[in-house]
């Protein structure tokens, strides 16, 4: 029978992996090998994908992939295979000779491990850096670097992306493999989850084959102790030839011991350090030996990797190793040897090389743990099981997700309003003090209207953004984000995307730039490109100030609903766009949905506050950098050239007087009227005003005035600048309450309203969808390597924004 045919809570034993290529390799590396027990847990709400339990961790597969795995029900399976543990030590170099020539005290350390093993938490606590930590696969999408001084040594620490193996079938695997090859760190710290060693040690076996100096950090050791299991890690470390150190990255326990061991390994004085060979079947060992001897005869290709590692990877037809070896004149001959040996292995063992090697590695791990690990009474995490019974349920899964999203937006809008008022008061006080003590002139106008007015008008929204990031961080760190990807996979699959695509899309609620970078977790190139192109439709936190301003002005009692509606509209547009891109631009590209579902973990207050401060500092740096410069530029464009009352043409004065409301005309003195008309003429004929007037005819059908057009264009620098531009043009300062009131008040000159309820809705829709900011466009180019994709985003997104903004405006007119 097939794995997809198992019933809930039924256990089967894997007998064969069908299929070929990346899927077959991936599932075997995840532990789906012959003789392994796997239990079906439940179907996703839409009956696809399916959640399974394998080696004490949970994983989801689509039905199509699960049907490619043959199983036998557990009650029909008889285990009749004994495995032996063979460890072959290899002679080491002369230690004293090496120590005599080494003079530096700088240690380059690379952190390597599976996703969710706590690498980035370890990196943060060791280096003092504040990188994002997410409880789902692929949150670390590039190498993070940090330094620390410890006992007279300088540690250069690199946090590499989480990966399950060193086979280059995903961007993470390729990045890690190339880094280890090209940078050759002094010591590799292999971070493994102590409570799930059988799964995590597969990557360890590949690192051992590379013959590098290494220390194993047994992270989350407290979880192993809580399960009443005992591990003789000293003996296990000696078996592997790698010292093992228990750690708990969340609290810092064991970190000093880990660093001491890194120094010992670096100084070549750790007694447990030695190189071993992971034993393989004799038929495979013969093939490895033949290729290894060939490589030893060519020392130029074994400078970065051990010949045994290259031999095994060539047998597995690893594309990266093939690329490395292809430059050698004997490459063709080596491939012929490889193909011949693979044919012999498949003929003798009735299985292919990849499957045999994966099975042998897991057999080696199983044998080592049999001698060193005494498991207590294992219980499936009750909390995880109970929570999953609701959040992945076909009846409750989607409503719970929508409720969480609504709660996030409600808290962002409502709770954020209180600290927002405090910051407004502080900025108002600063403006007042500047107005009192600074002498009149252009410099005062620059500081008051350009700097304080521009930056102050945006910084008041910092609490809203922090609340949003709090929710996103909590969902990531707790493990709920992985469940969201699980329940959304079938919908994503209907769009022609991967379930993993949902993770970057949710991250886009924070910022589109890191969200676009996180698409590297998606193995399929076409799915990754589509996810990149639709990500700007996900409303980032930079748009929050615009929503808060207009929703607060025109929909004060329905702010959460406006927020939810805008975010849902962005998601719907992204879905439709993805479907169109898959149908007309990108060919169909099927990739396996294999993603670990980590147990739920309650994020610590320290971790949550650290993540919030990280985002807050990034936002504040943005205030002091890009937005400050943009605000000054906007102020200058609206300030120059300068016009006095005598410069205003008579026909402009006559037209303004004719359009001016009668009550203003009757109740204002001539000097005040002249001042208003001069200010209006100054704004219209400034550089910014002329730009806005030039664009106004295109935006007129949406009832956008030239000042609104200027704000939209200013948003190309950063979407927050839209608010500061409106503030500069309409009220000339940073007072958010005054700006909100002004947007609802007709002009004293023309009697026109800056916004109506209908045009405000249309404007928010337009801002949601129109072309991304410069930083996002740059990220799109960097991730795709082609300028046609950013150009597509500019043209397509803006055209769509105009169309939907126009439709929303016209529909709103029917009801308002």
């Amino acid at each position: 029978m097939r794995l997809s045919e198992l019933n809930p809570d039924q256990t089967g034993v894997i007998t064969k992996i069908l299929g070929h290529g990346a899927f077959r390799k991936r599932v075997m590396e995840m532990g789906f090998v012959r003789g392994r027990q796997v239990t079906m847990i439940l179907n996703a709400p839409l009956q696809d994908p399916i959640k399974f339990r394998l080696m004490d961790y949970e994983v989801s597969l689509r039905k199509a992939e699960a049907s490619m795995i043959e199983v036998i029900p557990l009650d029909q399976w008889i285990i009749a295979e004994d495995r032996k543990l063979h460890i072959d030590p290899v002679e080491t170099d002369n230690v004293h000779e090496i120590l005599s020539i080494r003079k530096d005290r700088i240690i380059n350390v690379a952190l390597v491990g599976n996703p969710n093993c706590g690498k980035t938490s370890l990196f943060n606590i060791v280096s003092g850096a504040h990188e994002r930590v997410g409880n789902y696969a692929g949150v670390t999408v590039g190498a993070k670097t940090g330094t620390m001084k410890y006992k007279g040594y300088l540690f250069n620490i690199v946090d590499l992306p989480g990966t399950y193996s060193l086979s280059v079938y995903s961007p993470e695997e390729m990045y890690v493999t190339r880094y280890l090859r090209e940078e050759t760190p002094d010591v590799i710290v292999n971070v493994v989850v102590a409570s799930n060693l059988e799964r995590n040690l597969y990557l360890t076996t590949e690192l051992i084959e590379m013959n590098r100096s290494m220390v194993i950090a047994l992270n989350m050791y407290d979880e192993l102790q809580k399960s009443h299991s005992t591990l003789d890690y000293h003996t296990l470390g000696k078996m592997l030839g790698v010292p093992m150190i228990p750690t708990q990255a969340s609290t810092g326990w064991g970190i000093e011991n880990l660093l001491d061991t890194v120094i010992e390994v670096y100084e070549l004085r750790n007694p447990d350090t030695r190189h071993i060979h992971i034993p393989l079947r004799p038929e495979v060992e013969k093939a490895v030996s033949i290729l290894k001897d060939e490589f030893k005869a060519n020392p130029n290709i074994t400078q970065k990797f051990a010949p045994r590692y290259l031999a095994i990877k060539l047998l597995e037809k690893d594309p990266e190793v093939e690329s490395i070896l292809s430059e050698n004149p004997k490459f063709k001959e080596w491939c012929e040897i490889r193909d011949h040996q693979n044919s012999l292995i498949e003929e003798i063992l009735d299985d292919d090389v990849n499957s045999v090697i994966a099975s042998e590695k897991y057999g080696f791990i199983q044998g080592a743990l049999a001698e060193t690990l005494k498991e207590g009474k294992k219980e499936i995490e009750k909390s995880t099981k109970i929570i999953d019974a609701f959040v992945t349920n076909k009846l409750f899964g989607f409503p719970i997700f929508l409720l969480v999203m609504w709660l996030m937006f409600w808290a962002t809008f409502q709770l954020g309003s209180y600290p927002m008022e405090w910051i407004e008061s502080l900025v108002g006080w600063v403006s007042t003090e500047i107005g009192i003590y600074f002498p009149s002139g252009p410099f005062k106008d620059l500081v008051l209207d350009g700097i304080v007015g521009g930056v102050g008008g945006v910084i008041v929204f910092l609490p809203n953004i922090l609340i949003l990031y709090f929710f996103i961080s909590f969902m990531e760190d707790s493990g709920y984000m992985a469940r969201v990807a699980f329940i959304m996979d079938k919908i994503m699959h209907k769009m022609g995307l991967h379930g993993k695509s949902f993770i970057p899309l949710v991250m886009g609620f924070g910022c589109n730039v890191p969200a676009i970078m996180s698409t590297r977790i998606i193995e399929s190139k076409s799915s990754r490109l589509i996810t990149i192109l639709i990500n700007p439709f996900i409303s980032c936190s930079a748009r929050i100030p615009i929503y808060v301003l207009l929703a607060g002005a025109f929909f004060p009692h329905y702010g959460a609903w406006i927020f939810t509606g805008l975010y849902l509209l962005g998601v719907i547009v992204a879905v439709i766009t993805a479907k169109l891109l898959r149908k007309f631009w990108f060919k169909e590209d099927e990739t396996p949905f294999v993603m670990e579902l980590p147990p739920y973990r309650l994020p610590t207050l320290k971790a949550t506050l650290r993540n919030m401060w990280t985002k807050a500092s990034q936002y504040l740096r943005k205030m002091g950098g890009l937005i400050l410069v943009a605000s000054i530029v906007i102020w200058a464009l609206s300030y120059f050239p300068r016009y006095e009352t005598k410069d205003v043409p008579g026909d402009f004065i006559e037209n303004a007087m004719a359009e001016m409301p009668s009550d203003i005309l009757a109740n204002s003195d001539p000097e005040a009227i002249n001042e208003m008309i001069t200010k209006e003429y100054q704004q219209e004929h400034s550089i910014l005003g002329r730009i806005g007037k030039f664009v106004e005819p295109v935006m007129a059908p949406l009832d956008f005035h030239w000042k609104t057009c200027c704000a939209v264009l200013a948003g190309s620098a950063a979407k927050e600048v839209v608010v500061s531009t409106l503030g500069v043009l309409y009220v000339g300062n940073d007072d958010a309450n005054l700006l909100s009131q002004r947007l609802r008040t007709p002009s004293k000159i023309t009697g026109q309203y800056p916004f109506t309820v209908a045009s405000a809705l249309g404007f928010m829709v337009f801002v949601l969808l129109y072309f991304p900011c410069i930083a996002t466009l740059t990220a799109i180019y960097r991730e795709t390597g082609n300028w046609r994709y950013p150009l597509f985003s500019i043209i397509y997104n803006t055209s769509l924004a105009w169309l939907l903004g126009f439709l929303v405006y016209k529909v709103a007119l029917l009801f308002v």
Side-chain angles (χ1 to χ4, degrees):
M1 65 183 297
R2 301 300 171 89
L3 184 60
S4 57
E5 298 172 6
L6 288 178
N7 297 318
D9 297 324
Q10 184 181 9
T11 300
V13 179
I14 298 172
T15 58
K16 189 176 246 186
I17 308 295
L18 305 175
H20 63 279
F23 162 72
R24 197 165 189 278
K25 179 69 174 172
R26 166 61 69 218
V27 295
M28 288 191 297
E29 290 169 348
M30 292 287 291
F32 289 85
V33 295
R34 188 166 58 186
R36 182 66 56 195
Q37 293 184 18
V38 57
T39 303
M40 192 275 201
I41 300 177
L42 56 83
N43 289 300
L46 299 179
Q47 304 304 304
D48 198 12
I50 309 170
K51 181 162 71 170
F52 299 94
R53 175 169 291 278
L54 178 74
M55 292 190 302
D56 298 318
Y57 79 102
E58 294 180 352
V59 65
S60 59
L61 291 174
R62 291 190 187 128
K63 281 186 177 180
E65 279 79 45
S67 65
M68 300 296 288
I69 301 174
E70 291 186 354
V71 297
I72 293 178
L74 182 60
D75 56 355
Q76 301 176 22
W77 176 261
I78 300 175
I79 301 176
E81 183 179 1
D82 295 324
R83 298 187 181 275
K84 294 181 180 180
L85 185 64
H86 298 286
I87 302 177
D88 303 319
V90 176
E91 292 185 6
T92 59
D93 297 322
N94 188 308
V95 175
H96 298 289
E97 181 182 347
I98 293 176
L99 288 175
S100 66
I101 63 173
R102 183 185 48 74
K103 298 179 180 179
D104 64 279
R105 295 173 70 85
I106 299 175
I107 307 177
N108 298 318
V109 178
L111 302 181
V112 182
N114 289 180
N116 307 314
C117 68
K119 273 187 314 80
T120 305
S121 295
L122 181 64
F123 174 78
N124 286 340
I125 201 166
V126 170
S127 68
H130 303 295
E131 299 297 340
R132 275 296 298 117
V133 183
N135 193 14
Y136 61 83
V139 68
T140 307
V141 295
K144 278 81 174 179
T145 59
T147 60
M148 74 166 297
K149 292 182 179 179
Y150 180 76
K151 293 188 176 181
Y153 289 84
L154 176 65
F155 285 75
N156 293 323
I157 305 164
V158 178
D159 177 24
L160 293 174
T163 179
Y164 291 106
S165 77
L166 298 180
S167 300
V168 290
Y169 290 105
S170 72
E172 296 97 338
E173 293 169 342
M174 182 177 295
Y175 190 97
V176 172
T177 303
R178 289 181 177 176
Y179 181 89
L180 296 178
R181 182 187 79 219
E182 297 169 4
E183 302 298 330
T184 57
D186 298 314
V187 180
I188 296 172
V189 174
N190 178 208
V191 186
V192 302
V193 178
S195 59
N196 193 6
L197 286 174
E198 192 169 2
R199 172 68 197 89
N200 281 244
L201 288 178
Y202 183 89
L203 176 60
T204 306
T205 63
E206 297 211 313
L207 293 170
I208 288 173
E209 288 168 350
M210 295 180 71
N211 193 14
R212 297 290 180 83
S213 297
M214 185 163 62
V215 178
I216 296 176
L218 292 168
N219 200 28
M220 305 179 194
Y221 197 74
D222 56 321
E223 294 185 5
L224 177 74
Q225 295 173 322
K226 288 177 184 178
S227 67
H228 305 292
S229 299
T230 57
L231 174 68
D232 185 357
Y233 55 85
H234 292 295
T235 301
L236 181 59
K238 290 179 180 179
M239 288 181 174
L240 298 174
V242 183
M244 307 185 83
I245 308 299
T247 62
Q248 196 173 327
S250 59
T251 63
W253 178 82
I255 300 300
E256 288 191 4
N257 192 15
L258 176 66
L259 296 175
D260 290 337
T261 307
V262 169
I263 294 173
E264 287 182 0
V265 170
Y266 177 69
E267 299 284 11
L268 302 179
R269 49 185 169 81
N270 184 276
D272 295 338
T273 300
R274 61 195 179 110
H275 181 56
I276 68 167
H277 287 167
I278 308 299
L280 303 173
R281 297 289 290 266
E283 296 82 1
V284 180
E285 285 288 359
K286 179 183 176 182
V288 170
S289 181
I290 293 172
L291 288 171
K292 184 174 68 173
D293 291 340
E294 289 283 336
F295 299 149
K296 282 183 176 179
N298 291 265
N300 59 313
I301 65 170
T302 58
Q303 292 178 348
K304 299 294 185 179
F305 287 134
R308 180 179 175 85
Y309 172 82
L310 293 174
I312 293 174
K313 287 298 178 183
L314 184 60
L315 283 175
E316 294 177 330
K317 298 183 178 180
D318 184 90
E320 183 70 7
V321 168
E322 286 184 341
S323 175
I324 296 171
L325 300 176
S326 62
E327 299 177 2
N328 194 285
K330 298 190 68 177
F331 176 65
K332 187 176 180 181
E333 179 183 338
W334 293 338
C335 288
E336 291 175 354
I337 295 172
R338 185 266 314 276
D339 295 339
H340 175 66
Q341 292 298 322
N342 280 359
S343 298
L344 292 176
I345 292 169
E346 292 177 9
E347 182 179 346
I348 296 171
L349 301 179
D350 192 27
D351 208 347
D352 68 280
V353 173
N354 286 342
S355 179
V356 172
I357 291 176
S359 296
E360 290 298 301
K361 286 179 179 178
Y362 274 114
F364 170 82
I365 296 167
Q366 194 175 39
L369 293 178
E371 297 188 21
T372 56
L373 177 64
K374 292 183 180 179
E375 295 183 331
K377 291 183 179 180
K378 279 203 168 183
E379 294 183 4
I380 298 175
E381 293 237 6
K382 290 183 179 179
S383 59
T384 295
K385 191 173 183 179
I386 293 172
I387 296 172
D388 271 351
F390 290 94
V391 301
T392 62
N393 185 276
K394 63 182 178 181
L395 294 178
F396 305 121
F398 289 108
I400 289 175
F401 171 65
L402 293 175
L403 179 62
V404 169
M405 291 292 103
W406 183 88
L407 179 63
M408 178 173 71
F409 302 139
W410 176 85
T412 300
F413 185 78
Q414 297 293 338
L415 299 183
S417 63
Y418 298 104
M420 179 180 168
E421 291 175 359
W422 306 334
I423 298 177
E424 277 181 2
S425 300
L426 176 62
V427 174
W429 176 82
V430 171
S431 298
T432 302
E433 294 299 308
I434 291 175
I436 293 174
Y437 295 105
F438 274 52
S440 299
F443 181 72
K444 177 181 179 180
D445 294 338
L446 168 64
V447 175
L448 195 62
D449 300 333
I451 298 176
V452 178
V455 176
V458 177
I459 201 172
V460 296
F461 301 102
L462 177 62
N464 307 91
I465 291 170
L466 288 180
I467 292 173
L468 180 71
Y469 273 117
F470 173 83
F471 276 88
I472 293 177
S473 298
F474 187 87
M475 288 192 293
E476 291 172 353
D477 298 344
S478 66
Y480 178 63
M481 196 75 81
R483 270 67 183 186
V484 172
F486 171 71
I487 66 174
M488 292 296 294
D489 177 67
K490 188 160 188 177
I491 294 176
M492 303 302 290
H493 193 47
K494 293 289 186 183
M495 295 164 52
L497 293 177
H498 193 282
K500 286 184 180 179
S501 297
F502 194 72
I503 294 170
L505 295 181
V506 174
M507 289 182 67
F509 289 135
C511 180
N512 294 137
V513 175
I516 288 171
M517 293 175 63
S518 72
T519 58
R520 298 174 192 173
I521 68 175
I522 305 168
E523 290 87 351
S524 164
K525 182 179 179 180
S526 63
S527 292
R528 188 163 67 89
L529 289 173
I530 293 174
T531 307
I532 288 172
L533 293 176
I534 67 174
N535 205 285
F537 292 125
I538 303 303
S539 188
C540 66
S541 60
R543 296 174 173 93
I544 288 179
I546 306 167
Y547 301 158
V548 172
L549 174 67
L550 293 175
F554 295 94
F555 311 96
H557 303 297
Y558 304 98
W561 293 105
I562 294 295
F563 265 57
T564 304
L566 287 168
Y567 279 76
L568 283 178
L569 176 62
V571 172
I572 292 170
V573 170
V575 169
I576 296 173
T577 301
K579 194 72 175 174
L580 293 173
L581 288 173
R582 176 62 75 186
K583 184 174 182 180
F584 296 108
W585 196 345
F586 299 97
K587 64 180 181 180
E588 196 68 25
D589 189 328
E590 288 293 329
T591 55
F593 180 73
V594 184
M595 186 181 69
E596 184 176 349
L597 298 175
Y600 288 102
R601 294 187 175 100
L602 184 64
T604 62
L605 179 62
K606 180 180 179 181
T608 302
L609 292 177
R610 182 173 61 202
N611 293 337
M612 288 181 63
W613 170 245
T614 300
K615 297 304 177 185
S617 61
Q618 291 175 359
Y619 190 72
L620 291 172
R621 285 195 296 271
K622 193 176 182 181
M623 296 298 104
L626 178 63
I627 291 179
L628 174 61
V629 172
S631 297
I632 294 174
V633 170
I634 294 298
W635 171 85
L637 292 176
S638 65
Y639 194 80
F640 298 104
R642 300 298 296 166
Y643 296 97
E644 303 295 335
T645 303
K646 59 184 178 60
D647 300 321
V648 181
D651 57 344
F652 185 88
I653 297 175
E654 292 178 6
N655 292 335
M657 296 281 286
E659 294 177 351
M660 189 174 297
S662 56
D663 58 331
I664 299 292
L665 199 60
N667 298 324
S668 301
D669 61 81
E671 185 176 342
I673 292 175
N674 287 335
E675 185 178 343
M676 284 190 292
I677 295 175
T678 302
K679 183 177 181 181
E680 184 72 15
Y681 184 83
Q682 162 70 39
Q683 285 189 338
E684 283 193 30
H685 290 79
S686 66
I687 299 173
L688 187 63
R690 292 174 183 178
I691 295 173
K693 285 285 188 179
F694 177 77
V695 178
E696 187 179 29
V698 179
M699 308 304 293
L702 285 75
D703 197 22
F704 289 3
H705 306 305
W706 66 267
K707 294 181 181 180
T708 307
C709 297
C710 291
V712 167
L713 292 173
S716 61
K719 292 297 182 282
E720 299 97 333
V721 180
V722 171
V723 172
S724 59
T725 305
L726 291 174
V728 168
L729 292 176
Y730 279 111
V731 296
N733 59 48
D734 55 278
D735 192 328
N737 283 328
L738 187 60
L739 176 59
S740 177
Q741 182 180 353
R742 174 66 184 90
L743 296 182
R744 302 191 304 268
T745 306
S747 168
K748 294 179 179 180
I749 303 294
T750 64
Q752 288 184 325
Y753 286 85
F755 287 96
T756 62
V757 171
S759 65
L761 274 176
F763 183 72
M764 285 189 284
V765 170
F766 186 86
V767 168
L768 166 70
L769 302 175
Y770 84 116
F771 59 82
C773 66
I774 293 173
T776 302
L777 291 172
T778 303
I780 293 174
Y781 170 70
R782 286 177 178 173
E783 293 301 311
T784 61
N786 194 317
W787 279 110
R788 66 176 179 170
Y789 295 110
L791 186 61
F792 170 83
S793 288
I794 294 173
I795 298 173
Y796 174 78
N797 293 25
T798 307
S799 301
L800 193 61
W802 191 97
L803 178 62
L804 290 182
F806 176 75
L807 290 176
V808 169
Y809 169 68
K810 288 298 184 180
V811 171
L813 286 178
L814 299 177
F815 297 95
V816 179

